[in-house]
Amino acid sequence: PAIYAPILFFSRRIGLDEGQEVPIRGGGRLTGKVGPYSIGLLNVQTGETAGNVAVPTNFSVVRVKRDVLRRSAVGAILTNRSVLSGGAGSNQVYGVDGTFAFYDNLNINTYLARTETSELRGDDLSYEALLDYTGDRWGVKVDSLAVGANFNPGIGFVSRNDFRRSSGAIRFSPRPQAISSVRKFSIEGNVDYITDGLGQLETRVQQGMFGVEFESGDYFFA
């Protein structure tokens, strides 16, 4: 299955509990921008359902982001869920992130987050560092992603826990002057290396690709 970075806040988690609709008693949301700062505040109170499948729960989110440099930003997020699904314990998420764009084709994205969940202790961090260079002739992508076994965003979504993933790709795309019918060749190689939280190898994938982009707009890949 595909592995994605966790989503720390997923609004559809509010008003649903294990697929059952939950009544919303009230709440409010405030978003805006003040100078270089973007601010988002959310507070929602839900009620209970028949048979106490869901109990009254408060959801709170604070998100602050600041523009830096020309096209970059750093931010922080805090979420709180007063009661988890099933009525057991509470959950908080603390996270910081940064998106940095340099020149026209170099991007660096990072985040570090920690969760606090009742009755879960330790191994509750998640982080990612991604470098993506998308030049016309050369391309390079390096990514490191980790999710702890007890990382649990109570108002978010995580596709998988307890893993470390390292991946990289390099691309060479020359534009041949001597072949009028060809606009660009592409030669690419990538590797994906996934372990569990203890460092035991689970998946290792190595792939290569060759492609041709013709002046007519047609493509060929192998």
Side-chain angles (χ1 to χ4, degrees):
I3 298 176
Y4 303 100
I7 299 173
L8 302 186
F9 170 58
F10 188 55
S11 62
R12 294 186 180 181
R13 292 294 301 272
I14 302 176
L16 288 175
D17 195 299
E18 298 182 356
Q20 181 176 347
E21 290 188 9
V22 178
I24 295 178
R25 301 304 185 194
R29 180 180 66 179
L30 175 66
T31 61
K33 189 173 179 66
V34 181
Y37 292 93
S38 298
I39 301 173
L41 306 174
L42 175 74
N43 187 272
V44 175
Q45 180 69 40
T46 62
E48 60 185 358
T49 58
N52 291 327
V53 174
V55 300
T57 304
N58 182 264
F59 299 85
S60 300
V61 181
V62 178
R63 169 65 169 162
V64 179
K65 185 173 72 172
R66 189 188 193 284
D67 298 333
V68 296
L69 304 176
R70 293 177 57 189
R71 297 182 294 118
S72 305
V74 294
I77 188 171
L78 166 65
T79 75
N80 177 72
R81 179 171 179 160
S82 65
V83 183
L84 290 171
S85 295
S90 61
N91 174 269
Q92 294 79 40
V93 175
Y94 314 92
V96 293
D97 62 278
T99 58
F100 305 95
F102 302 99
Y103 308 105
D104 294 327
N105 44 30
L106 176 61
N107 295 279
I108 299 174
N109 298 326
T110 64
Y111 81 84
L112 172 65
R114 176 174 180 262
T115 64
E116 288 187 4
T117 306
S118 300
E119 301 181 359
L120 293 179
R121 294 291 181 270
D123 203 10
D124 51 12
L125 291 176
S126 178
Y127 63 81
E128 183 176 29
L130 169 66
L131 181 149
D132 191 12
Y133 175 73
T134 57
D136 180 68
R137 189 175 182 86
W138 290 94
V140 177
K141 187 173 184 178
V142 181
D143 187 22
S144 179
L145 171 65
V147 180
N150 291 329
F151 186 79
N152 176 35
I155 322 179
F157 174 78
V158 59
S159 62
R160 177 179 171 182
N161 294 84
D162 192 28
F163 75 91
R164 308 287 185 272
R165 176 187 181 186
S166 299
S167 61
I170 185 168
R171 171 183 52 81
F172 177 53
S173 303
R175 295 178 179 270
Q177 301 296 321
I179 308 177
S180 59
S181 61
V182 174
R183 181 177 302 167
K184 182 168 63 175
F185 291 112
S186 288
I187 304 169
E188 182 174 339
N190 61 72
V191 60
D192 210 353
Y193 190 88
I194 302 172
T195 68
D196 63 16
L198 297 176
Q200 298 296 315
L201 177 64
E202 293 187 345
T203 305
R204 179 171 55 200
V205 178
Q206 296 171 309
Q207 294 179 319
M209 185 204 72
F210 173 75
V212 182
E213 180 182 348
F214 297 96
E215 289 291 353
S216 62
D218 295 328
Y219 294 87
F220 169 80
F221 294 101

